[in-house]
């Protein structure tokens, strides 16, 4: 799934928090891009909206119980 689909799923999870689910997304499909790259980090992109949703939800009940990140070496920076 991409950032837009992930936003929809996380919003549904916020409405109905005790449902079971599994989501698979590529890091490239959901991450924000730095300005000057091919896909910019414009504030209205789905990736930017996803980042805002996750930041706003930070102090609430966790949306996810577990995350598994393959290719985690991409996260080093």
């Amino acid at each position: 799934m991409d950032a837009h689909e992930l936003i929809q799923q996380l919003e549904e999870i916020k409405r109905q928090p005790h449902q079971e689910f599994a989501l698979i997304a590529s890091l490239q499909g959901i991450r924000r891009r730095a300005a000057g790259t091919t896909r910019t980090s414009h504030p209205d992109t789905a990736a930017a909206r996803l980042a805002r949703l996750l930041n706003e939800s930070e102090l609430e009940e966790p949306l996810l119980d577990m995350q598994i990140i393959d290719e985690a070496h991409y996260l080093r920076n």
Side-chain angles (χ1 to χ4, degrees), residues 14 50-63:
K14 285 180 88 167
L50 175 59
R52 281 194 306 274
L53 173 67
L54 294 173
N55 285 336
E56 291 166 0
S57 302
E58 186 175 7
L59 299 177
E60 299 173 4
E61 186 71 24
L63 295 172

Side-chain angles (χ1 to χ4, degrees), residues 8-76:
Q8 291 176 331
Q9 290 294 320
L10 292 176
E11 288 174 342
E12 179 63 26
I13 292 163
K14 285 180 88 167
R15 286 190 292 276
Q16 298 178 16
H18 299 291
Q19 59 181 308
E20 291 186 19
F21 62 93
L23 306 172
I24 299 174
S26 72
L27 185 59
Q28 291 79 12
I30 62 172
R31 73 186 291 204
R32 292 180 68 175
R33 306 281 189 221
T37 60
T38 307
R39 292 174 50 192
T40 62
S41 136
H42 188 276
D44 291 332
T45 65
R49 290 192 317 269
L50 175 59
R52 281 194 306 274
L53 173 67
L54 294 173
N55 285 336
E56 291 166 0
S57 302
E58 186 175 7
L59 299 177
E60 299 173 4
E61 186 71 24
L63 295 172
L64 305 170
D65 291 329
M66 178 177 26
Q67 298 175 48
I68 299 172
I69 301 173
D70 190 16
E71 304 291 336
H73 60 276
Y74 288 117
L75 300 177
R76 72 181 179 271

